[in-house]
Amino acid sequence: MPSYKLTYFDGRALGEPIRMILTYMGLEFEDNRIDMESWTALQKEIKWGRIPVLEIDGKEMYQSRAIMRYLAKQAKLAGDNDWEAYEIDCAAGTVGDLIDLYRSMWKLSDEKTKEEWEKKLLDEFIPSFMKNWDEQAKNTGFLANGKLSWADLYLHGWVETLEVLMGKEIVNEYPNLKLGREKVHATPGIKEWLAKRPKTVY
Amino acid sequence: MPSYKLTYFDGRALGEPIRMILTYMGLEFEDNRIDMESWTALQKEIKWGRIPVLEIDGKEMYQSRAIMRYLAKQAKLAGDNDWEAYEIDCAAGTVGDLIDLYRSMWKLSDEKTKEEWEKKLLDEFIPSFMKNWDEQAKNTGFLANGKLSWADLYLHGWVETLEVLMGKEIVNEYPNLKLGREKVHATPGIKEWLAKRPKTVY
């Protein structure tokens, strides 16, 4: 049995989707949560300077979507054929786009520009992505192919952090996404993880 | 034989990697290049509001990396096993990260902040990514698994635009990436495409 070690901040954000897929697969993993002080030093050592990093038997893996897709193939959450895999990749890519749009705000040093961006996120970007996802998830709650995939874990693992950071409930306004969240949270492995995971602010 | 139509701006940027993989595969495609005026109208109609969009027999595909990965599987440029596929995804993901870092500049309205960001790109981000890629491409010129993959087409299709936009030759400073570019540009299908493609500024 390989050993798994996930290094990320003490929060959900981009670490939680990977924690979810590991627990879905029933894999034990070292949940290495680092504080900002350690991060400053660690960032210089890590190739690409970004986390999450997943180590499998000490071998480092980078890029959260690449990590998830790799695990998802083993978990049978990556589609049953090339088209299904594309639909999942596409959905996950759009989640990545909204993450990037959110993170763009951090790069804005000017307070006024930052406020304008935050308003755009709340009024335009977030509703537009959520609306599209909600349509895709119609009836089943799942983003792609009408069944659970790693794209659902990616969205629902991350989106709780978005809700905290924006100070707003978001998903509950979209019935199909709400259903998807409930299904993901009730999935064996993930359900037990949610009950025992550390409580964090974001 | 399915019909392929690629809709993108009249430039290389994110469209060129897809054009390259299509020509590598020997596929004829409609190269639908739109001007900024048409884009303003089209953006509202397109799901997700972003291009490139590839249509296969009229079915729209979104997300450039998802599109490339789908085509690459058919082209045998997506790795021979799950680990190779991960290495390619990871490399392509880092290209995506640099693209995002570049595009963040567009969101900066304040001229001074924009200049600072541009300096950071030139002095920090770009050299750091290029150095890592150059190490990965050691001896073979290829980003992953020592052989041609869609990650190479993604990097080399896009990076020429980066060079134009930054007003600077970049790749030639990195011998392994330079070798990779030469190999990609000499690849049958792509070679003929480069000779006949429309000349564009960026």
Side-chain angles (χ1 to χ4, degrees):
Chain A
M1 181 100 167
S3 73
Y4 296 85
K5 177 181 174 181
L6 182 73
T7 297
Y8 192 62
F9 300 112
D10 186 20
R12 285 164 287 179
L14 294 184
E16 202 61 16
I18 301 178
R19 297 186 190 111
M20 279 183 171
I21 196 164
L22 289 167
T23 52
Y24 174 84
M25 295 167 82
L27 297 171
E28 296 288 324
F29 66 99
E30 185 185 338
D31 192 16
N32 182 35
R33 291 164 183 256
I34 60 169
D35 55 29
M36 286 315 258
E37 207 169 312
S38 321
W39 173 234
T40 312
L42 192 64
Q43 190 171 26
K44 293 186 189 86
E45 286 168 36
I46 288 181
K47 191 176 175 185
W48 306 112
R50 294 188 182 205
I51 47 179
V53 168
L54 179 69
E55 287 167 68
I56 305 187
D57 285 337
K59 203 171 163 61
E60 289 186 354
M61 298 179 77
Y62 316 96
Q63 291 284 327
S64 45
R65 293 209 288 285
I67 294 169
M68 290 207 72
R69 193 179 296 104
Y70 174 79
L71 294 171
K73 286 174 186 170
Q74 298 170 31
K76 310 281 175 216
L77 290 179
D80 290 333
N81 54 53
D82 290 351
W83 187 264
E84 283 192 6
Y86 155 74
E87 293 278 12
I88 296 164
D89 286 346
C90 180
T94 60
V95 177
D97 281 349
L98 186 57
I99 293 173
D100 290 335
L101 285 170
Y102 171 76
R103 302 209 300 192
S104 293
M105 198 162 61
W106 297 348
K107 298 183 185 114
L108 303 171
S109 45
D110 172 59
E111 274 312 309
K112 191 165 159 276
T113 320
K114 205 172 211 160
E115 271 169 36
E116 284 166 6
W117 191 258
E118 188 164 8
K119 192 170 153 43
K120 245 185 168 170
L121 272 170
L122 275 171
D123 297 348
E124 286 179 44
F125 301 141
I126 294 174
S128 147
F129 278 84
M130 293 289 159
K131 198 171 151 275
N132 272 348
W133 290 327
D134 196 59
E135 269 167 33
Q136 284 186 199
K138 205 164 180 172
N139 301 324
T140 64
F142 299 124
L143 289 181
N145 311 307
K147 57 186 174 187
L148 182 70
S149 75
W150 68 270
D152 300 298
L153 307 192
Y154 190 49
L155 172 63
H156 293 293
W158 168 74
V159 81
E160 290 184 334
T161 297
L162 181 71
E163 291 182 314
V164 173
L165 295 171
M166 302 307 290
K168 190 176 188 295
E169 271 200 0
I170 297 169
V171 168
N172 285 350
E173 290 177 29
Y174 302 88
N176 300 294
L177 293 183
K178 185 170 179 281
L179 173 65
R181 168 140 82 183
E182 285 160 6
K183 284 189 178 180
V184 166
H185 285 192
T187 299
I190 294 172
K191 189 182 169 185
E192 292 73 19
W193 166 248
L194 297 187
K196 75 173 186 187
R197 70 180 174 186
K199 301 276 169 280
T200 55
V201 179
Y202 68 91
Chain B
M1 179 100 167
S3 73
Y4 296 86
K5 177 181 173 180
L6 182 72
T7 297
Y8 192 62
F9 299 113
D10 186 19
R12 286 163 287 179
L14 293 184
E16 202 61 16
I18 302 178
R19 296 186 190 111
M20 279 184 172
I21 197 164
L22 289 167
T23 52
Y24 174 85
M25 295 167 82
L27 298 171
E28 297 287 325
F29 66 100
E30 186 186 337
D31 191 17
N32 182 34
R33 290 163 184 260
I34 59 167
D35 55 28
M36 285 315 259
E37 208 169 309
S38 321
W39 174 234
T40 311
L42 193 64
Q43 189 170 25
K44 294 188 188 84
E45 287 169 35
I46 288 181
K47 189 175 175 185
W48 307 111
R50 295 189 181 203
I51 47 178
V53 168
L54 179 70
E55 287 168 66
I56 304 187
D57 285 339
K59 202 171 164 63
E60 290 186 353
M61 300 178 76
Y62 316 96
Q63 290 285 326
S64 44
R65 292 208 289 284
I67 295 169
M68 290 207 72
R69 194 178 296 104
Y70 175 79
L71 294 172
K73 286 174 186 169
Q74 297 170 31
K76 310 281 177 216
L77 290 180
D80 291 331
N81 54 55
D82 290 352
W83 186 263
E84 285 192 5
Y86 155 73
E87 293 278 11
I88 297 164
D89 285 346
C90 179
T94 59
V95 177
D97 281 349
L98 186 57
I99 293 173
D100 290 336
L101 286 171
Y102 172 76
R103 302 208 302 193
S104 293
M105 197 162 61
W106 299 348
K107 297 181 188 118
L108 304 171
S109 45
D110 172 57
E111 273 312 308
K112 191 166 157 276
T113 320
K114 204 173 214 160
E115 271 170 37
E116 285 167 4
W117 191 259
E118 188 165 10
K119 194 170 151 45
K120 247 187 168 167
L121 272 171
L122 276 172
D123 297 348
E124 285 178 45
F125 301 143
I126 294 175
S128 145
F129 279 84
M130 293 289 159
K131 199 172 149 274
N132 273 349
W133 289 328
D134 197 60
E135 269 168 33
Q136 283 186 199
K138 204 163 181 174
N139 301 323
T140 64
F142 299 125
L143 288 180
N145 311 308
K147 58 188 173 186
L148 182 71
S149 75
W150 68 271
D152 299 298
L153 307 191
Y154 190 49
L155 172 62
H156 292 293
W158 168 74
V159 80
E160 291 185 333
T161 297
L162 181 72
E163 291 182 314
V164 173
L165 295 171
M166 303 306 292
K168 190 175 187 293
E169 273 200 357
I170 296 167
V171 169
N172 286 349
E173 289 177 29
Y174 301 88
N176 300 294
L177 294 183
K178 186 171 179 280
L179 173 66
R181 167 138 84 181
E182 287 161 4
K183 284 189 179 180
V184 166
H185 284 193
T187 299
I190 294 174
K191 190 183 169 184
E192 292 73 19
W193 166 248
L194 296 188
K196 75 172 187 190
R197 70 181 174 186
K199 300 278 169 280
T200 54
V201 178
Y202 67 90

